[in-house]
Structure formats: C-alpha cells, structure tokens
Amino acid sequence: MIPVYICDDEPAVSVQLEKLIGDQIMMMERDMGPLRVVSSPPALMELQRQAAVPAIYFLDIDFPGYMSGLELAVKLRAYDPRGFIVFITAHGDMMFETFRYRLEALDYIVKGTPAMMAERVSACLESISERMMNEPDGRAAYCTLKVYDTVRHIPLQKILYLEAVGRRHMLVLHMDDEVLEFNSSLSHFEEKLGGDFWRCHRSFLVNRSRISNVWLKENVVELDNGETCLLSRKAKSEYAAAVP
Amino acid sequence: MPLGFRMTMVAVLVAVEAYAMFRITVALLGERPRWRCYLLFYIVYSVLEWGLALLSDMVMTADMIDPPSWMLWSEYILTVLLLCVTLRRMYRISIDKVFGAVALGYFIKDIIYDFLTDAAMFYSPVFDGKYLYVATTLVLPYCLVVVFAMAAAFVLNKTDFSNYFLCLFRGRVRTGVTLLASLALLTVNALRSILFPDVAVSFAYGLVCFSVVVIALFCIQFGAMYVASRDKVKAQEETIAQQQAHMELLEELQGEIRAFRHDFTNLLSGMALSAQEGDVEAIQEFMRRTSGYFDEKLGSEIRQMEGLSNIKLYPVRSLISTKLNRMRQRHIQVTLEIMKPVTGTRMPLEDLLRCQGILLDNAIEAASGKEGKIRVILLQDAGELYIAIANNYDVQPNLGALAKSGYTTKGKGHGTGLSSYRRMVSRCPDCMARTYLKDDFFVQELRIPV
C-alpha cells in the first residue's frame, strides 16, 4: 500500500478531490491508501514522517501565508525522493515545466468541472501504478546520491559504469538513458558499492552484472549496451586469475 | 647575538617578505587577500627557507661567502612554484594567470627590496651597536617593503589594475607573450648576476629598475585600457542587439493585441445580439470559447517577457533573448520558464555564458526539424541555480557516444562544444551536470551553487 495525501487550503477542493481519488482507488482496486487530507504544509510534513514512503502527494500550488507549493515540494522530495507529486492549480498557465524538471513532478490538475478533474486524476493514478510496476521493488539495491538538497536513489541495475575524468575529482556516472557528472572520487564509490562493481581501470568502475564481454587482447571491457571501458594490466591479471 | 633572537628575526623577516609578495600578487589578480591562504603560503615558504638555510649550512665551506648559485636558483623557482600552487588552490584561478601574477609580484617585491636595502645601506650611519645595526639594515627595509607593498596593492586595487592585467591573458598568443615576459622578469635578476657578475648592485641601479617597472606598469595599463574600451564597445553593441530583440518581441505583441482587439469587438458585437435576444446558451458557449482565447493568443509572449525580466544578470538576459530570437526564426516552439530572479552564481560569468550558449546552440541544432520544441528553465533557489534545457529530436541521441569527447552529428571539426562544456563544469566546484532522455525530450541539466 502506498499512502496518498491531499494538501489544499480550500475545503471545497479538497473534499471534491478526496471523493474523486477515493472513488478511483476503489473502482480500479489500486494498491493505494490510506487517503489523507491536510490543509497546511507543516501538517503534511509531519504526517509524511509518520507513514511509509514513497507516497503520492496532491499539492496545491500556492498557500497564502505559507511556503509556496514549490518549496513544500522540495522539502517533501528531500524526505521522499521516489514519491509522486501532482500539483493542483487554479489556472492552466502555471510554470509547469519548471516543476516537472526540477521536482520531477508527475502532472498537474486544473481545478474545474468534476468531470475534467476526474479524467485527470484517473490518468495520474494510472501512470503512477504503471511506474510502480516498472520500478524494481524496494528491496532491490540502490545507490544513494546526494546533491545539495536532493537525494537520488539510483537502482544499481541501471548503472553501467563510473568514470573518473580529469584531475579534479570529476566523476561521470553512466546509466541507461542518463549521464551524470559531479564532484566525487572513484575510490569512494568503489568502497560504497562493494563487490558488485569491478575497478577494471584506474579511472573506471564497472557494474559486473552489465558486462557482456571482456576483450583481453584489445584491453577493453564491453557492456551490454555496446559501450566500452578500458582494462588495465593489473585488472587483467586479476581477471585471468579469477577466470581460469 | 643570542640564537633565539636571530631565529625570531628570521621568522619575522620571512613572514614580512612572504606577506609583501602575497599581497602584491593577490592585488594583481584582483582578489581579496585571505588570511588562511597567506598562512598556508607562509608556512610552506618558511619551511622552504629554513630547509635551504640548513642545506647551505651543510654545503658551504668556510671560504665561501655566498651560497652556490644553484641554491639561489632553486630558492627562486621553488618560491614561485609554491606561491603559484597555493594561490591556485585557494582562489581557483587558472595556472597561467597565477603564474603571470606571481612572476610580476615577485619581481616588484624584489625591486622594492633591492631598492630599499641599498638605500638603507647607503644612508644609514655607522653604528657600533649590533642591534641598532640590525634594526637599520634589516628590520627597517623589510618593514618598508611591507609598507610599499601595501601601497602598491592599494594603488592596484584602486585603479582596478586586475581587469587590465587579466586582459593580457585573452587568447593564446597574448597569454604566451605574457608568460614569456613574466619568465623574463623572473630570471632577469639571476641572468644579470651571471652575465655581469662584477656590476655591483647600487642605489642608482635600484632606482633605474624601479622606474622601469613603473613605466612598464603604465604601459600595461594603457594597453589594457585600450582593450577594455574595445570590449566595452562590444558589450554595448550586444546590449543594443538585445534591446532590438526585445523591441521586436514587443512589436509582435502589439500586432497581436491589435488583431485580438479586432477579433474581440467582433465577438462582443455578436454576443450583444445574443444577449438582447436572451439566448443564455449562446452566451455560455461564448464564455467558454473566449476564456482560453486571450491566453492562447498572447500567453506565451507575455510569459517569455516575464521570464526574461526575471534574469538580473544582463549578459545572461541578452544571451537568452538572442537565442530565443534565433529559435523564433527557425519556428521552434519555445517554453521559457524563469520563476524567480536569477542573480548570479559561483561559476564565473564568462563560463556561465559559454555553458548556456553551448547548451542552447545544441538544443537549437538538435531540435526536431518539423515541429521543434525547446524548453528553457532557470530556477534560482537558496543554494543553487538550476538550469534545464530540453529539446525534442528526430533521431534519438546516443548518450554513451555523447559522453565521449568530440561527439557530433555534424561531421569532423565540430563537437568541441560539449567537451568544453564538460571542462567548464569540471572546473566549477560542486557543479553537477545531468543528461537524460525523458518523454521524448533530450534534457541537459546543470546545477551551479550560488
């Protein structure tokens, strides 16, 4: 079960949404609940700490007198990096791309007629359950990565390899469909990730489960998506000793 | 004299010398002097001095008056290197600039020092007291060195000399010439002692050197002022271009408002008829249709202008508005979202501009030919500036190949943009770059600490 929160300061909207979402969960027999409604950001933050994560959040964009929806979402994200955030807004011209990229918000619902909102709610829930199905379950191994206020949990299977570039402790993390560059050291990751990763070169740390071939003659390690890493002489002798 | 007194004297003199050197160099680079940096340099420098003193004690025999020349040389080179490395570490300035500044700073300090010690030797009366002698020939000149160095630093800061000095490092050729000149400055003293060993260092010589330095500084200043004025003209031209782009946007908006007004009067007259007849349904239909109309017609332009006005860094605003103009010319649909004021980052402005330029150019090149879409998002929060630039594409880019340097879709000679982008990101501490594909968009994200 994944908890669902609604946070809106207008009682009319939250009552309406509660009914809509509750009905949707019931009708489609989704694995979601309990459904909770709060009217202020601090209350939501408190509730979030008490229950399980990841969770689904339906948030109003602006709370008069409180922090903005953006700040609230940043705080929620810090605690629940894998949660699903849906914004509720009165007008359609909000800066949604900002929310989508910065916070990885899922979608937004424009306040309007119940029929329109129901449609949007159902689409959101559908896409959430789809994503949950695709995502490896919580027990799978993750690599946590902290950059400023954001924490990311990266499933280990998605990682291809890590590469150190330059002398300035710059690491490049290669994943399926994503490349991440940040300041860190390879030895730090070698320690953190443990035996599932192989230091095949001074500046490469490769995911063992993603290796498809080791070309001893060419001194390269080939990964299952066709990318290659360098193979050092030391790692080669290690490899030769391990694989008779 | 007791050993303790001598040791303290040397420690103090080394500190004073190091401070003079440090102060001038930092002023040349246009940075604020930081105590931590100075302390670090002082510690390393005094270790070096003591080590060399010990070494010369071991090497020197009784009949030698001066330590061997290789020793002086190594002291020279090591000091310069140490100061270079310390400054580079603490201020994160590229090595060529630091080297130039250190060479010049060292030279100036040397000249001041030579000049002052000679003056002290020349003018100080002969005393019989040892302490008094030390005071006049060592302590006084060293103290004056600091005073002069502070004065020089003050003048350099007041005249913004660092801007002119850094102008000398624009472009490869200029950097090369400057570095050669600084190398010559560094070795001029040593060369002189090798080439003309019998020319004694005198007060007059010091004076000549001093005036040469002053003249050279003036020359640099004037040369650089010329360059700076040219830069200023260029910057003004850029501002004008930006203003023009802005004007065009406004004109476009005005045209659309005119069209809108025309439409609207027509629509209203139609509705007035329905209202007279009491046709509620028609009125409702009209309301439904027109509520989104205004937004649809003018929303994107107004939002773009709002976004642009949120950028408080004028060069960045100018860059983005010119790029937006280019996108409009190519009929690419742009979404620009800048919710909060963008005021600046820890990344140097030139790097920030180049990074954004590269990302935007790449997005423009790669955006789909038929229905190009680009999203530009800037968001400055408490701790960071978040930049995301997303474009749709015709052919899905290969991220693995993209990460290798020199990747391009345009053939040989291109593809340097991304690698220099990567270099700039790695140069900025705590920056994070992310490249990914999401919902048929190719997204480049950059987070820079503020």
Side-chain angles (χ1 to χ4, degrees):
Chain A
M1 291 286 261
I2 161 166
V4 183
Y5 303 99
I6 299 170
C7 187
D8 200 312
D9 57 337
E10 278 176 63
V13 177
S14 50
V15 166
Q16 192 186 5
L17 261 180
E18 187 183 8
K19 187 172 175 306
L20 274 173
I21 296 168
D23 287 354
Q24 286 279 343
I25 292 174
M26 277 249 289
M27 273 188 324
M28 307 296 290
E29 292 181 342
R30 295 199 192 277
D31 189 23
M32 293 168 189
L35 178 61
R36 285 171 145 155
V37 181
V38 285
S39 57
S40 75
L44 176 58
M45 309 259 297
E46 209 163 287
L47 266 183
Q48 185 201 27
R49 296 282 192 278
Q50 290 162 10
V53 287
I56 303 169
Y57 309 89
F58 289 87
L59 307 178
D60 197 356
I61 286 273
D62 23 44
F63 292 97
Y66 289 111
M67 53 184 127
S68 71
L70 183 75
E71 284 162 49
L72 172 63
V74 167
K75 291 204 169 104
L76 294 174
R77 260 273 176 266
Y79 186 73
D80 181 10
R82 291 195 295 135
F84 302 95
I85 298 178
V86 180
F87 282 101
I88 314 160
T89 170
H91 28 77
D93 68 330
M94 59 167 286
M95 304 223 166
F96 186 67
E97 302 302 338
T98 307
F99 290 81
R100 176 142 67 185
Y101 286 105
R102 173 68 176 82
L103 295 166
E104 304 194 21
L106 191 76
D107 204 349
Y108 64 100
I109 296 173
V110 182
K111 290 175 193 169
T113 59
M116 270 158 63
M117 278 170 79
E119 199 180 308
R120 269 323 248 279
V121 166
S122 134
C124 282
L125 295 179
E126 180 61 43
S127 113
I128 289 172
S129 33
E130 201 173 291
R131 279 180 199 221
M132 278 168 54
M133 297 269 275
N134 288 336
E135 223 173 80
D137 54 1
R139 278 158 305 189
Y142 280 95
C143 167
T144 41
L145 204 68
K146 191 166 187 295
V147 184
Y148 311 115
D149 54 345
T150 23
V151 182
R152 283 193 62 194
H153 293 272
I154 299 166
L156 288 188
Q157 299 138 300
K158 268 188 73 181
I159 300 179
L160 291 158
Y161 64 97
L162 287 127
E163 182 187 2
V165 285
R167 284 166 298 152
R168 278 175 234 261
H169 288 291
M170 202 68 185
L171 271 195
V172 184
L173 173 59
H174 296 255
M175 289 172 265
D176 293 326
D177 287 344
E178 184 171 341
V179 178
L180 203 61
E181 287 164 64
F182 54 99
N183 292 107
S184 188
S185 80
L186 209 52
S187 4
H188 168 71
F189 272 89
E190 192 180 7
E191 210 169 281
K192 189 159 129 186
L193 294 170
D196 293 335
F197 283 71
W198 180 34
R199 186 78 174 260
C200 63
H201 187 267
R202 191 164 48 91
S203 45
F204 284 98
L205 184 65
V206 60
N207 190 347
R208 284 183 199 272
S209 58
R210 302 297 299 265
I211 297 176
S212 65
N213 276 311
V214 177
W215 302 102
L216 288 175
K217 233 182 212 152
E218 289 86 355
N219 288 334
V220 287
V221 177
E222 194 183 333
L223 299 170
D224 53 12
N225 74 337
E227 284 190 56
T228 54
C229 299
L230 296 177
L231 180 64
S232 71
R233 212 175 306 150
K234 188 172 146 237
K236 196 152 95 173
S237 55
E238 246 175 52
Y239 178 79
V243 186
Chain B
M1 273 185 274
L3 187 68
F5 176 74
R6 282 196 204 180
M7 299 271 267
T8 7
M9 258 350 263
V10 174
V12 169
L13 294 184
V14 166
V16 164
E17 199 180 353
Y19 187 69
M21 225 184 315
F22 173 76
R23 196 58 212 268
I24 294 179
T25 313
V26 168
L28 279 174
L29 286 171
E31 300 279 344
R32 292 188 161 277
R34 283 188 218 156
W35 282 107
R36 266 181 56 205
C37 184
Y38 166 62
L39 276 180
L40 185 68
F41 172 61
Y42 168 59
I43 291 167
V44 187
Y45 183 59
S46 48
V47 166
L48 172 78
E49 289 285 306
W50 286 110
L52 282 173
L54 277 179
L55 196 67
S56 70
D57 228 31
M58 281 192 285
V59 176
M60 266 164 69
T61 44
D63 53 326
M64 286 164 82
I65 306 163
D66 276 333
S69 61
W70 60 263
M71 206 112 160
L72 291 176
W73 274 85
S74 57
E75 184 193 349
Y76 219 58
I77 292 165
L78 281 175
T79 313
V80 168
L81 281 182
L82 282 177
L83 190 52
C84 276
V85 171
T86 326
L87 285 175
R88 210 185 100 77
R89 281 255 131 178
M90 299 298 274
Y91 290 101
R92 296 182 180 280
I93 305 170
S94 62
I95 192 82
D96 47 352
K97 289 173 191 160
V98 172
F99 181 76
V102 168
L104 196 56
Y106 198 112
F107 184 69
I108 294 175
K109 184 226 80 177
D110 250 12
I111 293 291
I112 297 176
Y113 174 72
D114 278 353
F115 175 63
L116 286 173
T117 37
D118 291 339
M121 291 284 236
F122 195 71
Y123 285 114
S124 70
V126 182
F127 295 112
D128 15 336
K130 272 185 197 160
Y131 291 97
L132 211 55
Y133 180 75
V134 167
T136 50
T137 54
L138 270 178
V139 178
L140 193 66
Y142 268 99
C143 290
L144 283 176
V145 165
V146 172
V147 172
F148 270 63
M150 300 272 265
F154 179 76
V155 170
L156 290 177
N157 278 339
K158 271 282 152 203
T159 52
D160 281 329
F161 185 75
S162 61
N163 289 341
Y164 308 126
F165 182 68
L166 295 181
C167 273
L168 293 174
F169 293 92
R170 285 230 193 106
R172 289 226 173 118
V173 180
R174 233 187 270 177
T175 307
V177 171
T178 315
L179 287 183
L180 276 181
S182 19
L183 207 64
L185 279 184
L186 267 182
T187 45
V188 72
N189 252 337
L191 278 180
R192 190 210 57 200
S193 64
I194 290 173
L195 292 177
F196 312 104
D198 25 309
V199 175
V201 178
S202 68
F203 178 60
Y205 169 79
L207 206 60
V208 168
C209 276
F210 202 73
S211 42
V212 165
V213 168
V214 171
I215 291 169
L217 287 183
F218 268 115
C219 287
I220 293 181
Q221 176 120 12
F222 280 120
M225 268 164 104
Y226 168 69
V227 174
S229 69
R230 244 183 11 193
D231 285 356
K232 207 171 166 188
V233 170
K234 215 173 132 198
Q236 276 168 347
E237 270 168 12
E238 234 163 66
T239 321
I240 291 170
Q242 185 229 328
Q243 307 277 28
Q244 256 166 1
H246 199 69
M247 288 283 275
E248 272 166 37
L249 192 67
L250 279 176
E251 268 167 27
E252 206 174 302
L253 197 67
Q254 198 195 7
E256 268 169 50
I257 287 179
R258 202 183 298 127
F260 181 72
R261 182 176 154 274
H262 179 246
D263 274 11
F264 210 73
T265 32
N266 278 349
L267 281 170
L268 270 183
S269 57
M271 199 187 58
L273 216 66
S274 320
Q276 269 174 5
E277 284 165 9
D279 190 350
V280 181
E281 236 169 70
I283 295 175
Q284 271 177 350
E285 169 70 18
F286 169 78
M287 296 288 277
R288 201 177 51 74
R289 260 192 303 142
T290 43
S291 63
Y293 185 68
F294 184 75
D295 221 53
E296 208 177 281
K297 279 264 158 180
L298 304 171
S300 83
E301 272 94 354
I302 289 178
R303 246 169 303 168
Q304 270 184 23
M305 297 228 277
E306 250 176 309
L308 280 176
S309 67
N310 257 338
I311 308 177
K312 305 296 176 204
L313 287 171
Y314 284 94
V316 175
R317 189 195 282 188
S318 132
L319 174 87
I320 291 188
S321 64
T322 35
K323 298 289 177 201
L324 284 182
N325 223 11
R326 248 184 80 195
M327 291 177 201
R328 224 170 291 132
Q329 281 163 9
R330 292 192 170 211
H331 304 290
I332 295 171
Q333 192 191 324
V334 200
T335 314
L336 177 77
E337 290 188 1
I338 303 168
M339 273 175 74
K340 293 182 181 174
V342 176
T343 52
T345 59
R346 237 192 280 163
M347 187 184 255
L349 188 61
E350 305 95 73
D351 279 10
L352 181 67
L353 285 173
R354 283 186 60 201
C355 279
Q356 286 182 341
I358 290 168
L359 292 184
L360 286 167
D361 282 341
N362 284 354
I364 293 173
E365 290 292 330
S368 174
K370 277 172 256 122
E371 257 181 72
K373 280 184 190 157
I374 292 180
R375 293 169 181 160
V376 181
I377 293 149
L378 270 76
L379 182 64
Q380 187 169 348
D381 267 348
E384 60 166 17
L385 172 65
Y386 172 91
I387 301 172
I389 292 166
N391 62 274
N392 63 351
Y393 45 78
D394 287 327
V395 187
Q396 180 168 330
N398 179 355
L399 288 187
L402 212 61
K404 301 261 182 283
S405 79
Y407 173 85
T408 175
T409 50
K410 288 177 273 176
K412 224 172 179 185
H414 292 276
T416 50
L418 266 185
S419 48
S420 53
Y421 166 68
R422 212 162 287 131
R423 205 167 42 240
M424 281 182 279
V425 171
S426 75
R427 204 187 296 159
C428 175
D430 295 326
C431 270
M432 198 195 80
R434 185 178 170 206
T435 312
Y436 60 101
L437 302 172
K438 185 182 178 183
D439 304 334
D440 292 329
F441 270 80
F442 173 71
V443 190
Q444 295 263 31
E445 247 180 50
L446 179 62
R447 288 159 165 238
I448 312 166
V450 172

